[in-house]
């Protein structure tokens, strides 16, 4: 993130410092975010007389985090109940609601036949899995018209989702605010923004995991481009929130860039990594967020400015951007390995026959495991992590 973005954001003047919620991508792993937010809602209800208003003015999401953000924006006028409804949404979710793969069970007995069938499927669909069920579920589950109502009532100020263009290589942030006229777009090398009322296509584009789900077409600057998962090339995840005016940010990531437990995975000496290990590494690379780097840079800028002579600080009228970052305290890869048997039979058979559930297969499975064993474990982990940091969360939202 550029130094200018951080400083400019800190110099904006607001009657009420806008609080942003930034939700990173990670497929099924983003159920962890729901656990954190559900716990936060409980904390807020029991704090300061049981306030129930929706606490975030700016919502920014990427990939499955974009789906969570859009869901909350559509229900923001319900106040803290929005978080409970999001938890109920995830509680009903199954992998068959998100994707499907139509293969015959006998194919699992022949790797050659299975590879041929999957190759034909990829050529026909442009990806391994068909995510049509996801589009249908989102149309039923997210009333997009309610987002406009939340914006016009000033319950929220902005909703933004990100996607990565296969066509141009540009990382786009699509923003919906109450007024197109007041929206101020930004442009940086490889990164652009545009005002667009958000649609199901935006959510499908942002969550289109490369090779797993097909690309989705969107129109930007009057041209049709094809988009994949917004986590690709996302080098500054906090930047959109700051451009939209955030003074305080709660960001919830689900990435784990270091996976030392994989080094202990059994294997044949000299055989090299398994397909599962390689697939897991690729997925972790796609969702390898630079969140911590963004957080550290924001804090360094604040520290540097505050060390200037007091006269200079006063003249700048700079207020440091407060950032609280949440991430799982346990390995989600290892957790997913406990629930791979819950994968749909066709998926489990296909991935198993190809050896993609061995070695580091837990990483790949963790993005696709929209099943209740894994989901409920993530919700519990998120709740536990949030409870541990309750004082920090309350102070960020309500002040010291």
């Amino acid at each position: 993130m550029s130094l200018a973005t951080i400083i400019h954001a800190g110099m904006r003047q607001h009657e009420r410092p806008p609080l942003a919620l930034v939700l990173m991508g990670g497929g099924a792993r983003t159920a962890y975010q729901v656990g954190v937010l559900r716990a936060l809602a409980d904390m807020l209800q029991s704090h300061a007389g049981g306030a129930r208003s929706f606490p975030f003015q700016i919502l920014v999401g990427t990939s499955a985090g974009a789906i969570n953000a859009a869901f909350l924006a559509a229900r923001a006028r319900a106040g803290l109940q929005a978080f409970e409804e999001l938890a109920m949404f995830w509680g009903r979710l199954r992998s068959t609601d998100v994707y499907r793969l139509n293969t015959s069970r006998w194919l699992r007995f022949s790797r050659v036949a299975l590879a041929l069938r999957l190759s034909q499927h990829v050529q026909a669909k442009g990806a391994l899995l068909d995510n049509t069920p996801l589009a249908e579920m989102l149309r039923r589950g997210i009333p997009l018209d309610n987002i406009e109502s939340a914006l016009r009532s000033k319950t929220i100020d902005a909703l933004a989702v990100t996607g990565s263009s296969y066509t141009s290589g540009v990382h786009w942030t699509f923003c919906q605010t109450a007024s197109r006229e007041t929206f101020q777009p930004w442009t940086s090398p490889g990164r652009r923004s545009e005002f667009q009322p958000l649609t199901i296509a935006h959510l499908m584009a942002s969550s289109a995991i490369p090779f797993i789900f097909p690309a989705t077409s969107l129109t930007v600057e009057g041209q049709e481009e094809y988009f994949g998962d917004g986590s690709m090339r996302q080098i500054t995840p906090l930047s959109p929130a700051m451009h939209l005016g955030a003074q305080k940010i709660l960001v919830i990531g689900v990435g784990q860039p270091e996976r030392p437990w994989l080094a202990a995975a059994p294997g044949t000496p000299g055989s090299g990594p398994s397909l599962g290990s390689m697939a897991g590494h690729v997925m972790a690379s796609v969702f390898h967020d630079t969140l911590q780097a963004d957080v550290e840079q924001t804090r360094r800028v604040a520290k540097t400015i505050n060390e200037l002579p007091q006269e200079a600080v006063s003249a700048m009228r700079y207020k440091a951007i407060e950032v609280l970052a949440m991430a799982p305290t346990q390995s989600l890869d290892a957790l997913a390995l406990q629930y791979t048997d819950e994968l749909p039979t066709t998926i489990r058979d296909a991935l198993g026959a190809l050896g993609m559930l061995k070695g580091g297969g837990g990483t790949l499975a963790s993005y696709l495991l929209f099943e209740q064993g894994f989901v409920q474990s993530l919700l519990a982990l998120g709740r536990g992590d949030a409870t541990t940091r309750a004082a920090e969360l309350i102070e960020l939202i309500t002040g010291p």
Side-chain angles (χ1 to χ4, degrees), residues 197-215:
L198 297 177
T199 65
I200 298 301
H202 289 93
L203 301 180
M204 295 295 289
S206 182
S207 59
I209 301 173
F211 307 113
I212 303 296
F213 296 143

Side-chain angles (χ1 to χ4, degrees), residues 4 20 44 75 95 111 202 242 285-286 329 331:
L44 292 174
R75 288 165 172 78
S95 296
R111 292 192 177 189
H202 289 93
M242 292 189 185
S285 297
V286 169
T329 55
S331 168

Side-chain angles (χ1 to χ4, degrees), residues 176-199:
Q176 184 173 355
T177 59
S179 170
R180 180 188 296 268
E181 289 70 28
T182 58
F183 174 70
Q184 298 179 350
W186 63 89
T187 300
S188 301
R191 294 182 289 118
R192 304 285 298 276
S193 69
E194 186 167 291
F195 177 94
Q196 289 194 15
L198 297 177
T199 65

Side-chain angles (χ1 to χ4, degrees), residues 100-104 107 117-118 121 128-130 346-347:
R100 61 186 173 218
L101 173 60
N102 298 318
T103 60
S104 300
L107 287 175
R117 176 66 184 91
L118 294 179
H121 189 280
L128 178 64
L129 302 178
D130 177 7
T346 54
I347 302 299

